[in-house]
């Protein structure tokens, strides 16, 4: 579907040679010239590219309660900060600062801790926030609260 170059009607279009120039016209107007080919819909490859471009970027973020999560899990494993630090090849002071919330681990370090402790420290957020329902979201707006009460 497209807009006819001649009459402006929206219809299936044909590449048509009319008076020496090739234009895209509807079936009706195509009668005035020589049809070269049907104008195909956008190729799937092109479509895919466009869709990909529109996809929001996913940004990894450290969960807000990373300190408690790490500390709790480490303690449940009955591991001292020193041992934990040694196991993941980091300084004890850094582990201490992270567990007290004074330092936020980098994404790389958080991934390392995630793997080691088998906990989740990184959540991926879509940069372009859509109005999609995010059920596992920790942050609720007043609107969400009202909606959940109405359920
Ligand atoms: Zn037309």
């Amino acid at each position: 579907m497209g807009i006819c170059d001649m009459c402006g009607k929206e219809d299936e279009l044909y590449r048509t040679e009319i008076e020496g120039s090739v234009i895209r016209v509807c079936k009706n107007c195509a009668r005035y010239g020589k049809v070269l080919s049907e104008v195909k819909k956008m190729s799937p490859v092109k479509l895919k590219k466009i869709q990909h471009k529109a996809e929001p970027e996913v940004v990894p973020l450290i969960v807000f309660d990373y300190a408690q999560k790490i500390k709790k899990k480490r303690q449940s494993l009955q591991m001292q900060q020193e041992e934990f630090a040694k196991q993941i090849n980091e300084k004890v002071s850094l582990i201490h600062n992270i567990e007290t919330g004074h330092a936020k681990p980098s994404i790389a370090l958080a991934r390392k801790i995630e793997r080691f402790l088998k906990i989740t420290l990184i959540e991926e957020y879509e940069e372009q926030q859509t109005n999609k329902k995010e059920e596992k979201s920790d942050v609720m707006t007043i609107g969400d609260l009202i909606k959940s009460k109405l359920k």
Side-chain angles (χ1 to χ4, degrees):
M1 295 288 274
I3 306 290
C4 170
D5 284 343
M6 265 182 96
C7 67
K9 197 178 129 194
E10 198 179 341
D11 206 344
E12 296 294 328
L13 296 181
Y14 298 88
R15 278 179 69 230
T16 307
E17 196 186 319
I18 298 175
E19 287 164 11
S21 53
V22 178
I23 55 175
R24 299 183 313 164
V25 296
C26 68
K27 206 173 179 179
N28 212 22
C29 299
R31 289 179 307 167
Y32 300 112
K34 191 179 142 203
V35 175
L36 300 173
S37 65
E38 194 180 334
V39 175
K40 299 281 182 216
K41 282 172 192 166
M42 234 189 273
S43 71
V45 176
K46 260 187 181 171
L47 259 170
K48 213 174 176 184
K49 250 186 186 170
I50 290 164
Q51 278 172 353
H52 182 75
K53 218 177 177 183
E55 261 173 36
E57 248 182 82
V58 173
V59 184
L61 285 178
I62 307 289
V63 295
F64 71 94
D65 59 345
Y66 66 91
Q68 296 96 300
K69 276 190 162 179
I70 294 168
K71 192 174 181 180
K72 215 174 137 189
K73 184 68 193 219
R74 179 183 57 75
Q75 286 175 337
S76 79
L77 294 170
Q78 297 183 321
M79 201 185 288
Q80 299 300 311
Q81 278 185 351
E82 288 78 11
E83 197 192 337
F84 175 48
K86 211 172 151 186
Q87 291 283 345
I88 62 165
N89 209 12
E90 295 292 340
K91 282 180 186 163
V92 184
S93 58
L94 179 62
I95 299 304
H96 177 80
N97 284 337
I98 288 171
E99 284 192 4
T100 51
H102 289 107
K104 204 172 180 178
S106 65
I107 297 294
L109 177 57
R111 288 208 196 281
K112 190 155 77 171
I113 297 171
E114 272 188 332
R115 278 198 299 270
F116 185 75
L117 292 179
K118 295 182 177 66
I119 55 174
T120 303
L121 294 177
I122 299 166
E123 279 179 0
E124 292 189 332
Y125 287 85
E126 288 183 355
E127 201 164 47
Q128 295 168 5
Q129 285 292 338
T130 52
N131 289 326
K132 254 187 287 170
K133 273 185 192 168
E134 286 195 44
E135 291 187 353
K136 60 171 187 173
S137 175
D138 288 313
V139 185
M140 282 185 114
T141 63
I142 289 166
D144 289 333
L145 282 170
I146 293 166
K147 265 185 258 166
S148 66
K149 274 182 183 172
L150 289 174
K151 266 176 201 166

